[in-house]
Amino acid sequence: MAHIEDVWVNYTLNDQLTEAKINLVINGRNLSNTSYRWALTNDKGKQVAKFNGRTNSLGAENASIVFQNPKLWWPHDYGEPYLYNSKFELIDETGKVIQTIRQKVGFRKVKLVMNEGAWNEPKGYPMSRSNAPAQFQVNGVNIFAKGTNWVNPEIFPGIITYERYNELTNRAVEANFNILRIFWGGGIVNKESFYEQCNEKGLLVWQEFPLACNNYPDDPYYLKILEQEAISIVNRLKKQTSVVLWSGGREEE
C-alpha cells in the first residue's frame, strides 16, 4: 500500500526576503500511480499557495512552487514567530485521499556572521569590551542572542510531557531568552513537542550532536554508525523553524 514517510517543505528565500522558492521533498514507499495535492494556508485559514503533482515509486521532488511576499518568522523579541499551515494529501488511482500530513512552516533566513574587529581583543581589562566573534543574523537583522543551556528536564526522557516542556519554554520567554542550546551534558534529541513549542514561541534552538568528552574511535564501522545517526537527526529536525545551528558537543571538541 502507498505510504508517505516524510514530507519536507524546503524553501529558499531571495535576498530581498520577498519570494520563497519551495521544494516539496517527498519520501515514501509503493508510490507508483499515486498523486498528491498540497496547500499552504495562513493563520486565518486562507490558502496562499498550492501545488498538485504525481509521485514515482520512491517519492518526488518538485521545485516549481513560488510563494510571493511570505510573512516572516522572527525570534519573539524581534517580531512575530509567524507560522503557516501545510497540508499534504496523498491520493490513490481512484481519487481517494489515503493519507494526510499536516505541519507548520515558518519562513526565515538565518546566517552566522563574523563581526568586524571580533579578534581584536583589548590589551587590558575589562575583557568584556571585546566584540563577539560571531553573531546570528535573522532576516537580515543582527540579533543579540540571550539564552541558556538546555539539558533533560527529567532524569528519564521517556516521561517528559508536553506540559513539562511548556512550563519550561514559557519560563524561557518570561526570562527574555531567545535561544536554547541543547547541551552535551546528557542532552538528547528532544520530543517533537519541544521543537514545536520553540517554533510557536519564537525561541531559537542550537542543536548539538551527542558527542563530547570521550575518546571516539575512527574506525570505519563506528564512523558509519555516526553517519547514520547524524543523517537521522538532521532529517528529523530540518523541518523545525526554530533550529538554526548544528554543532558537535562542547566548545573545545
Side-chain angles (χ1 to χ4, degrees):
M1 182 176 180
H3 179 75
I4 295 294
E5 296 174 349
D6 186 54
V7 176
W8 179 25
V9 184
N10 190 21
Y11 65 85
T12 303
L13 281 170
N14 64 359
D15 291 339
Q16 295 75 34
L17 308 177
T18 58
E19 181 179 285
K21 185 177 182 181
I22 298 174
N23 303 309
L24 288 183
V25 183
I26 305 162
N27 293 305
R29 60 179 185 269
N30 302 324
L31 296 178
S32 297
N33 300 317
T34 58
S35 59
Y36 65 88
R37 56 177 173 254
W38 172 82
L40 191 71
T41 58
N42 62 19
D43 59 355
K44 302 294 190 299
K46 180 181 178 181
Q47 184 173 284
V48 295
K50 64 178 180 179
F51 188 82
N52 297 335
R54 295 192 62 82
T55 58
N56 55 39
S57 59
L58 297 176
E61 181 172 346
N62 301 283
S64 59
I65 312 163
V66 177
F67 178 31
Q68 300 289 344
N69 300 312
K71 191 168 182 178
L72 301 177
W73 183 95
W74 291 89
H76 70 89
D77 50 347
Y78 281 79
E80 181 183 1
Y82 192 88
L83 296 170
Y84 288 88
N85 299 296
S86 166
K87 180 181 179 181
F88 178 95
E89 294 178 311
L90 185 65
I91 305 167
D92 68 13
E93 61 272 17
T94 69
K96 178 183 177 181
V97 175
I98 56 176
Q99 189 177 358
T100 301
I101 298 175
R102 302 175 189 270
Q103 55 190 275
K104 299 283 189 178
V105 179
F107 293 94
R108 85 290 186 273
K109 179 176 283 192
V110 179
K111 294 181 180 179
L112 193 64
V113 297
M114 299 300 299
N115 288 323
E116 185 176 355
W119 304 111
N120 299 327
E121 297 185 0
K123 302 292 185 184
Y125 292 95
M127 298 297 287
S128 61
R129 294 182 60 187
S130 300
N131 292 327
Q135 189 171 8
F136 283 112
Q137 186 182 92
V138 181
N139 301 330
V141 177
N142 286 7
I143 71 166
F144 183 71
K146 310 181 294 292
T148 186
N149 293 323
W150 175 284
V151 293
N152 297 344
E154 302 288 354
I155 295 176
F156 301 107
I159 68 172
I160 305 173
T161 63
Y162 176 94
E163 290 74 20
R164 182 62 170 148
Y165 278 137
N166 194 49
E167 175 189 359
L168 295 175
T169 53
N170 281 339
R171 293 286 183 272
V173 173
E174 291 168 5
N176 293 315
F177 291 164
N178 59 20
I179 188 168
L180 298 172
R181 174 190 174 194
I182 313 303
F183 194 43
W184 71 273
I188 60 172
V189 180
N190 284 270
K191 296 180 179 180
E192 300 303 312
S193 57
F194 167 78
Y195 299 98
E196 290 167 358
Q197 289 178 27
C198 290
N199 297 343
E200 294 166 1
K201 298 173 185 180
L203 290 167
L204 305 173
V205 175
W206 171 348
Q207 179 68 50
E208 294 191 351
F209 292 93
L211 294 170
C213 300
N214 206 338
N215 182 22
Y216 296 99
D218 60 357
D219 60 86
Y221 176 76
Y222 175 75
L223 293 177
K224 185 63 177 178
I225 293 174
L226 186 61
E227 179 186 20
Q228 292 172 345
E229 184 176 53
I231 290 172
S232 176
I233 292 171
V234 170
N235 282 337
R236 182 183 153 196
L237 299 185
K238 65 188 179 183
K239 299 183 287 291
Q240 303 294 348
T241 305
S242 53
V243 177
V244 296
L245 182 67
W246 306 87
S247 76
R250 296 282 289 194
E251 299 87 342
E252 66 267 23
E253 293 300 313

